[in-house]
Amino acid sequence: MSGLRGLSTSSDINTDVTADPEGWLKPQWPAPAAVKAICTTRLGGQSQPPFDELNLALHVGDRADHVHLNRTRLQAAIGARPVFLEQVHGVAHAPIALDSQDGLRADASSTTSTHLACTIMVADCLPVLLCDARGQRVAAAHAGWRGLAAGVLEAAVLCFDGPHADSKPYANELIAWLGPCIGPQAFEVGPDVRHAFVRHAPAAASFFSPCGPGKWLADLAGLARQRLHALGLQEIHGNDGSASWCTVGNPSRFFSHRRDGVGGGGTGRLAACVWRID
C-alpha cells in the first residue's frame, strides 16, 4: 500500500483504551530510535456517523464526550500526551513543553521534551512530521495550501537549531514524513492557488495540471516536497501522491472535508503525531 503500514488489531475498540486500532499508519522513515510517530485513521474510536469512528476534533460538531474519549485512546495507545493546536491555516510555530495546554493558536509545533507529542489534525490538508538525525527535537506542521504557500514548512524547519548555538538550522540533517492528504487527482483549484506557489518558485508549476478553463489539479504532497527540497532537506518520506494516500479517494480509511464536510453533513479529523521517548 505504497508505504502504509497498520498497527496491531484490537478486538474490542469500544472499551480497551490501550488498543492500537488496525490501520493506523506507522511512518516508514529513518528516524532515530528516540523518535516515534503515528498517523491515525478513522478506525478505532467512539464517534458516531458522520464522524465515525476516531474523530479527534472538538470543533466539527461531534459530541464532546466522544472526542475526549477518542483523545484519551490516542494518548493511551502512543504513550505520550498529544498537544492539539488551534489551527488557522497560518505559519505560526508554537514551541511546546510539559506545561503546554491544548488550543495554542498555531499551525506548527516543536518540542525537545519527551513523551509529549506534536500533533496536527487534518481532513485533506497535509500533515508533515519532522525530526533531526540526533533525535533531539521533533516538529509537526499543518500544510494546507494556504499555510504551505505562506511558509509554514519554512517556520517548522527554522525551529531546529544548528549543532552550535550560533549556527544556522542544518536542514540537510532533518528527516521529514508526509502523511495522507487530498490527492493530485482530487484537488481541483483555481488560478489563484497556482499563482500563490508559482510566484514563490517557478518550479512549482510542474505540480499543477490543467483540468478545464481556469481550473487546475494540484499535487499538494508534491508541492510540499518541492518546498522541503528547496530548504535543503534530503530525507523526505511518506506520501508520494499515489492513490492509497488520498483522503478523498479512501472513504473507509480517511476523513475528507472536501468529500464529506459540507454535502455529507460533516466529517472528523485525523491526527499525525511525533514525539520523543527517553
Side-chain angles (χ1 to χ4, degrees), residues 219-268:
D219 182 351
L220 188 62
L223 289 164
R225 284 177 177 269
Q226 185 267 324
R227 288 271 180 146
L228 291 169
H229 278 304
L231 289 167
L233 273 76
Q234 300 171 15
E235 293 280 359
I236 306 172
H237 302 268
N239 192 334
D240 59 4
S242 57
S244 61
W245 292 94
C246 180
T247 47
V248 176
N250 293 278
S252 66
R253 194 168 205 191
F254 301 132
F255 296 117
S256 168
H257 178 72
R258 181 163 291 209
R259 185 190 62 230
D260 303 326
V262 180
T267 194

Short mmCIF file of all heavy atoms in Angstrom, two decimals, residues 219-268:
data_model
loop_
_atom_site.label_atom_id
_atom_site.label_comp_id
_atom_site.label_asym_id
_atom_site.label_seq_id
_atom_site.Cartn_x
_atom_site.Cartn_y
_atom_site.Cartn_z
N ASP A 219 -1.03 18.99 -6.89
CA ASP A 219 -0.37 17.92 -6.14
C ASP A 219 0.18 18.52 -4.85
O ASP A 219 1.30 19.05 -4.81
CB ASP A 219 0.74 17.32 -6.99
CG ASP A 219 1.45 16.15 -6.32
OD1 ASP A 219 1.20 15.89 -5.13
OD2 ASP A 219 2.28 15.50 -6.99
N LEU A 220 -0.63 18.46 -3.78
CA LEU A 220 -0.25 19.10 -2.53
C LEU A 220 1.00 18.47 -1.93
O LEU A 220 1.91 19.19 -1.47
CB LEU A 220 -1.42 19.02 -1.54
CG LEU A 220 -1.29 19.79 -0.23
CD1 LEU A 220 -1.17 21.28 -0.49
CD2 LEU A 220 -2.49 19.51 0.68
N ALA A 221 1.08 17.16 -1.93
CA ALA A 221 2.27 16.49 -1.39
C ALA A 221 3.50 16.83 -2.23
O ALA A 221 4.60 17.02 -1.69
CB ALA A 221 2.05 14.99 -1.33
N GLY A 222 3.34 16.90 -3.54
CA GLY A 222 4.45 17.26 -4.40
C GLY A 222 4.94 18.67 -4.14
O GLY A 222 6.15 18.94 -4.14
N LEU A 223 4.00 19.59 -3.91
CA LEU A 223 4.37 20.97 -3.59
C LEU A 223 5.14 21.04 -2.28
O LEU A 223 6.10 21.81 -2.14
CB LEU A 223 3.12 21.84 -3.54
CG LEU A 223 2.46 22.11 -4.88
CD1 LEU A 223 1.03 22.63 -4.68
CD2 LEU A 223 3.27 23.12 -5.70
N ALA A 224 4.73 20.23 -1.30
CA ALA A 224 5.45 20.20 -0.02
C ALA A 224 6.85 19.63 -0.19
O ALA A 224 7.81 20.16 0.39
CB ALA A 224 4.66 19.38 1.00
N ARG A 225 6.98 18.59 -0.98
CA ARG A 225 8.31 18.03 -1.24
C ARG A 225 9.21 19.06 -1.91
O ARG A 225 10.40 19.19 -1.57
CB ARG A 225 8.20 16.78 -2.12
CG ARG A 225 7.71 15.55 -1.39
CD ARG A 225 7.53 14.36 -2.32
NE ARG A 225 7.13 13.17 -1.59
CZ ARG A 225 7.95 12.27 -1.07
NH1 ARG A 225 9.25 12.42 -1.23
NH2 ARG A 225 7.49 11.22 -0.41
N GLN A 226 8.65 19.81 -2.87
CA GLN A 226 9.44 20.83 -3.56
C GLN A 226 9.93 21.89 -2.57
O GLN A 226 11.09 22.31 -2.61
CB GLN A 226 8.59 21.47 -4.66
CG GLN A 226 9.33 22.46 -5.54
CD GLN A 226 9.20 23.89 -5.06
OE1 GLN A 226 8.17 24.29 -4.55
NE2 GLN A 226 10.26 24.67 -5.22
N ARG A 227 9.06 22.30 -1.65
CA ARG A 227 9.45 23.29 -0.64
C ARG A 227 10.54 22.75 0.27
O ARG A 227 11.51 23.45 0.59
CB ARG A 227 8.23 23.68 0.20
CG ARG A 227 7.20 24.54 -0.51
CD ARG A 227 7.54 26.01 -0.33
NE ARG A 227 6.59 26.85 -1.00
CZ ARG A 227 6.19 28.05 -0.56
NH1 ARG A 227 6.67 28.52 0.59
NH2 ARG A 227 5.35 28.78 -1.24
N LEU A 228 10.38 21.52 0.72
CA LEU A 228 11.36 20.93 1.63
C LEU A 228 12.70 20.73 0.94
O LEU A 228 13.76 20.98 1.53
CB LEU A 228 10.83 19.61 2.18
CG LEU A 228 9.64 19.73 3.14
CD1 LEU A 228 9.03 18.36 3.41
CD2 LEU A 228 10.06 20.38 4.46
N HIS A 229 12.68 20.28 -0.30
CA HIS A 229 13.93 20.16 -1.05
C HIS A 229 14.62 21.51 -1.18
O HIS A 229 15.84 21.63 -1.03
CB HIS A 229 13.67 19.57 -2.44
CG HIS A 229 13.54 18.09 -2.48
ND1 HIS A 229 14.51 17.24 -2.00
CD2 HIS A 229 12.54 17.29 -2.94
CE1 HIS A 229 14.12 15.98 -2.15
NE2 HIS A 229 12.93 15.98 -2.71
N ALA A 230 13.83 22.56 -1.45
CA ALA A 230 14.40 23.89 -1.59
C ALA A 230 15.03 24.38 -0.29
O ALA A 230 15.98 25.17 -0.31
CB ALA A 230 13.33 24.88 -2.06
N LEU A 231 14.52 23.89 0.84
CA LEU A 231 15.08 24.26 2.14
C LEU A 231 16.35 23.48 2.46
O LEU A 231 17.03 23.80 3.44
CB LEU A 231 14.04 24.03 3.23
CG LEU A 231 12.85 25.00 3.24
CD1 LEU A 231 11.74 24.48 4.15
CD2 LEU A 231 13.30 26.39 3.68
N GLY A 232 16.64 22.45 1.69
CA GLY A 232 17.85 21.67 1.91
C GLY A 232 17.63 20.27 2.44
O GLY A 232 18.59 19.54 2.66
N LEU A 233 16.37 19.88 2.67
CA LEU A 233 16.11 18.54 3.17
C LEU A 233 16.37 17.50 2.08
O LEU A 233 15.96 17.70 0.93
CB LEU A 233 14.68 18.39 3.67
CG LEU A 233 14.45 18.80 5.13
CD1 LEU A 233 14.42 20.31 5.27
CD2 LEU A 233 13.17 18.20 5.68
N GLN A 234 17.01 16.43 2.48
CA GLN A 234 17.29 15.34 1.55
C GLN A 234 16.48 14.10 1.87
O GLN A 234 16.19 13.29 0.98
CB GLN A 234 18.78 15.02 1.57
CG GLN A 234 19.66 16.20 1.17
CD GLN A 234 21.14 15.92 1.41
OE1 GLN A 234 21.56 14.79 1.61
NE2 GLN A 234 21.94 16.98 1.40
N GLU A 235 16.12 13.93 3.14
CA GLU A 235 15.37 12.75 3.58
C GLU A 235 13.89 13.13 3.72
O GLU A 235 13.46 13.66 4.74
CB GLU A 235 15.91 12.24 4.91
CG GLU A 235 17.31 11.67 4.84
CD GLU A 235 17.31 10.23 4.30
OE1 GLU A 235 16.22 9.69 4.00
OE2 GLU A 235 18.40 9.66 4.18
N ILE A 236 13.11 12.85 2.68
CA ILE A 236 11.67 13.16 2.67
C ILE A 236 10.93 11.87 2.31
O ILE A 236 11.14 11.30 1.24
CB ILE A 236 11.34 14.27 1.66
CG1 ILE A 236 12.21 15.50 1.93
CG2 ILE A 236 9.86 14.62 1.73
CD1 ILE A 236 12.08 16.58 0.87
N HIS A 237 10.07 11.43 3.20
CA HIS A 237 9.44 10.12 3.07
C HIS A 237 7.92 10.26 3.16
O HIS A 237 7.38 11.32 3.42
CB HIS A 237 9.96 9.19 4.16
CG HIS A 237 11.45 9.02 4.12
ND1 HIS A 237 12.08 8.01 3.43
CD2 HIS A 237 12.44 9.77 4.68
CE1 HIS A 237 13.39 8.13 3.55
NE2 HIS A 237 13.63 9.18 4.31
N GLY A 238 7.24 9.13 2.94
CA GLY A 238 5.79 9.13 3.06
C GLY A 238 5.08 9.42 1.75
O GLY A 238 5.47 8.92 0.69
N ASN A 239 4.05 10.22 1.81
CA ASN A 239 3.11 10.47 0.72
C ASN A 239 3.83 10.79 -0.59
O ASN A 239 4.53 11.79 -0.71
CB ASN A 239 2.20 11.63 1.12
CG ASN A 239 1.02 11.80 0.19
OD1 ASN A 239 1.06 11.43 -0.98
ND2 ASN A 239 -0.05 12.38 0.72
N ASP A 240 3.61 9.93 -1.58
CA ASP A 240 4.21 10.13 -2.90
C ASP A 240 3.18 10.52 -3.95
O ASP A 240 3.47 10.49 -5.14
CB ASP A 240 4.95 8.86 -3.34
CG ASP A 240 4.03 7.64 -3.41
OD1 ASP A 240 2.81 7.78 -3.19
OD2 ASP A 240 4.54 6.53 -3.70
N GLY A 241 1.98 10.86 -3.51
CA GLY A 241 0.93 11.28 -4.43
C GLY A 241 0.14 10.14 -5.04
O GLY A 241 -0.76 10.39 -5.84
N SER A 242 0.43 8.91 -4.67
CA SER A 242 -0.30 7.78 -5.22
C SER A 242 -1.66 7.64 -4.54
O SER A 242 -1.94 8.24 -3.50
CB SER A 242 0.51 6.49 -5.10
OG SER A 242 0.86 6.24 -3.76
N ALA A 243 -2.51 6.81 -5.14
CA ALA A 243 -3.92 6.77 -4.75
C ALA A 243 -4.14 6.34 -3.31
O ALA A 243 -5.10 6.77 -2.66
CB ALA A 243 -4.68 5.83 -5.70
N SER A 244 -3.28 5.49 -2.76
CA SER A 244 -3.50 4.99 -1.40
C SER A 244 -3.35 6.06 -0.34
O SER A 244 -3.81 5.89 0.79
CB SER A 244 -2.54 3.83 -1.10
OG SER A 244 -1.20 4.26 -1.18
N TRP A 245 -2.72 7.20 -0.69
CA TRP A 245 -2.53 8.28 0.26
C TRP A 245 -3.65 9.32 0.20
O TRP A 245 -3.67 10.25 1.02
CB TRP A 245 -1.21 8.99 -0.01
CG TRP A 245 0.00 8.17 0.27
CD1 TRP A 245 0.71 7.41 -0.61
CD2 TRP A 245 0.66 8.03 1.53
NE1 TRP A 245 1.78 6.81 0.01
CE2 TRP A 245 1.77 7.16 1.34
CE3 TRP A 245 0.44 8.55 2.81
CZ2 TRP A 245 2.65 6.82 2.37
CZ3 TRP A 245 1.31 8.19 3.83
CH2 TRP A 245 2.39 7.34 3.60
N CYS A 246 -4.57 9.20 -0.73
CA CYS A 246 -5.57 10.24 -0.96
C CYS A 246 -6.71 10.15 0.04
O CYS A 246 -7.41 9.12 0.11
CB CYS A 246 -6.11 10.15 -2.38
SG CYS A 246 -7.36 11.41 -2.76
N THR A 247 -6.94 11.20 0.79
CA THR A 247 -8.01 11.21 1.78
C THR A 247 -9.39 11.17 1.11
O THR A 247 -10.31 10.54 1.63
CB THR A 247 -7.90 12.45 2.67
OG1 THR A 247 -7.70 13.61 1.85
CG2 THR A 247 -6.74 12.33 3.64
N VAL A 248 -9.53 11.82 -0.03
CA VAL A 248 -10.81 11.83 -0.73
C VAL A 248 -11.15 10.45 -1.27
O VAL A 248 -12.30 10.01 -1.20
CB VAL A 248 -10.80 12.87 -1.86
CG1 VAL A 248 -12.11 12.83 -2.66
CG2 VAL A 248 -10.58 14.27 -1.32
N GLY A 249 -10.17 9.76 -1.81
CA GLY A 249 -10.42 8.50 -2.51
C GLY A 249 -10.47 7.27 -1.63
O GLY A 249 -10.70 6.17 -2.14
N ASN A 250 -10.27 7.42 -0.32
CA ASN A 250 -10.28 6.27 0.59
C ASN A 250 -11.23 6.52 1.75
O ASN A 250 -10.81 6.69 2.90
CB ASN A 250 -8.86 6.00 1.10
CG ASN A 250 -7.93 5.53 0.00
OD1 ASN A 250 -7.90 4.35 -0.34
ND2 ASN A 250 -7.16 6.45 -0.56
N PRO A 251 -12.55 6.54 1.47
CA PRO A 251 -13.52 6.94 2.49
C PRO A 251 -13.61 6.01 3.69
O PRO A 251 -14.01 6.45 4.77
CB PRO A 251 -14.85 6.97 1.73
CG PRO A 251 -14.63 6.08 0.54
CD PRO A 251 -13.19 6.25 0.18
N SER A 252 -13.26 4.73 3.54
CA SER A 252 -13.33 3.83 4.69
C SER A 252 -12.16 4.02 5.64
O SER A 252 -12.19 3.56 6.78
CB SER A 252 -13.37 2.37 4.22
OG SER A 252 -12.17 2.01 3.57
N ARG A 253 -11.12 4.72 5.17
CA ARG A 253 -9.91 4.86 5.97
C ARG A 253 -9.67 6.28 6.46
O ARG A 253 -9.17 6.49 7.57
CB ARG A 253 -8.71 4.40 5.15
CG ARG A 253 -7.47 4.18 5.99
CD ARG A 253 -6.39 3.46 5.22
NE ARG A 253 -5.51 2.74 6.14
CZ ARG A 253 -4.37 2.20 5.79
NH1 ARG A 253 -3.95 2.27 4.54
NH2 ARG A 253 -3.63 1.57 6.68
N PHE A 254 -10.01 7.28 5.64
CA PHE A 254 -9.65 8.65 5.95
C PHE A 254 -10.86 9.57 5.96
O PHE A 254 -11.78 9.41 5.16
CB PHE A 254 -8.66 9.20 4.90
CG PHE A 254 -7.37 8.43 4.78
CD1 PHE A 254 -6.89 8.06 3.53
CD2 PHE A 254 -6.64 8.08 5.90
CE1 PHE A 254 -5.69 7.36 3.40
CE2 PHE A 254 -5.45 7.38 5.79
CZ PHE A 254 -4.98 7.02 4.54
N PHE A 255 -10.84 10.54 6.86
CA PHE A 255 -11.78 11.65 6.80
C PHE A 255 -11.40 12.57 5.64
O PHE A 255 -10.23 12.70 5.29
CB PHE A 255 -11.77 12.45 8.10
CG PHE A 255 -12.21 11.69 9.31
CD1 PHE A 255 -11.34 11.46 10.37
CD2 PHE A 255 -13.51 11.21 9.41
CE1 PHE A 255 -11.75 10.76 11.51
CE2 PHE A 255 -13.93 10.51 10.54
CZ PHE A 255 -13.05 10.29 11.58
N SER A 256 -12.40 13.23 5.05
CA SER A 256 -12.15 14.20 3.98
C SER A 256 -13.19 15.30 4.05
O SER A 256 -14.38 15.04 3.89
CB SER A 256 -12.20 13.53 2.61
OG SER A 256 -12.23 14.51 1.58
N HIS A 257 -12.73 16.52 4.29
CA HIS A 257 -13.65 17.66 4.34
C HIS A 257 -14.24 17.92 2.95
O HIS A 257 -15.43 18.21 2.83
CB HIS A 257 -12.92 18.90 4.83
CG HIS A 257 -13.78 20.12 4.86
ND1 HIS A 257 -14.78 20.31 5.80
CD2 HIS A 257 -13.80 21.22 4.07
CE1 HIS A 257 -15.38 21.47 5.58
NE2 HIS A 257 -14.81 22.04 4.53
N ARG A 258 -13.43 17.81 1.91
CA ARG A 258 -13.94 18.10 0.56
C ARG A 258 -14.98 17.07 0.16
O ARG A 258 -15.97 17.41 -0.50
CB ARG A 258 -12.80 18.14 -0.45
CG ARG A 258 -13.25 18.45 -1.86
CD ARG A 258 -12.13 18.88 -2.78
NE ARG A 258 -11.60 20.19 -2.44
CZ ARG A 258 -11.05 21.03 -3.33
NH1 ARG A 258 -10.98 20.70 -4.61
NH2 ARG A 258 -10.57 22.19 -2.93
N ARG A 259 -14.79 15.84 0.54
CA ARG A 259 -15.74 14.79 0.18
C ARG A 259 -17.00 14.82 1.04
O ARG A 259 -18.11 14.66 0.53
CB ARG A 259 -15.06 13.42 0.34
CG ARG A 259 -15.89 12.23 -0.12
CD ARG A 259 -15.24 10.90 0.29
NE ARG A 259 -15.15 10.79 1.74
CZ ARG A 259 -14.04 10.45 2.40
NH1 ARG A 259 -12.92 10.21 1.73
NH2 ARG A 259 -14.05 10.38 3.72
N ASP A 260 -16.86 15.03 2.34
CA ASP A 260 -17.98 14.87 3.27
C ASP A 260 -18.32 16.08 4.11
O ASP A 260 -19.36 16.10 4.77
CB ASP A 260 -17.67 13.73 4.25
CG ASP A 260 -17.38 12.41 3.55
OD1 ASP A 260 -18.00 12.16 2.51
OD2 ASP A 260 -16.53 11.65 4.06
N GLY A 261 -17.44 17.08 4.14
CA GLY A 261 -17.57 18.15 5.12
C GLY A 261 -18.81 18.99 4.99
O GLY A 261 -19.32 19.51 5.97
N VAL A 262 -19.29 19.19 3.77
CA VAL A 262 -20.47 20.04 3.56
C VAL A 262 -21.65 19.18 3.12
O VAL A 262 -22.61 18.98 3.86
CB VAL A 262 -20.17 21.14 2.52
CG1 VAL A 262 -21.40 22.00 2.32
CG2 VAL A 262 -19.00 22.00 2.98
N GLY A 263 -21.58 18.62 1.94
CA GLY A 263 -22.69 17.85 1.41
C GLY A 263 -22.99 16.61 2.23
O GLY A 263 -24.15 16.18 2.31
N GLY A 264 -21.98 16.03 2.86
CA GLY A 264 -22.17 14.83 3.64
C GLY A 264 -22.59 15.08 5.08
O GLY A 264 -22.78 14.14 5.84
N GLY A 265 -22.67 16.33 5.49
CA GLY A 265 -23.13 16.66 6.83
C GLY A 265 -22.04 16.83 7.85
O GLY A 265 -22.32 17.13 9.01
N GLY A 266 -20.79 16.68 7.46
CA GLY A 266 -19.69 16.87 8.39
C GLY A 266 -18.70 15.73 8.29
O GLY A 266 -18.98 14.67 7.73
N THR A 267 -17.54 15.95 8.86
CA THR A 267 -16.52 14.91 8.89
C THR A 267 -15.59 15.14 10.06
O THR A 267 -15.54 16.24 10.62
CB THR A 267 -15.73 14.88 7.57
OG1 THR A 267 -14.97 13.66 7.49
CG2 THR A 267 -14.77 16.05 7.45
N GLY A 268 -14.87 14.10 10.45
CA GLY A 268 -13.95 14.20 11.57
C GLY A 268 -12.56 14.61 11.12
O GLY A 268 -12.35 15.09 10.00
#
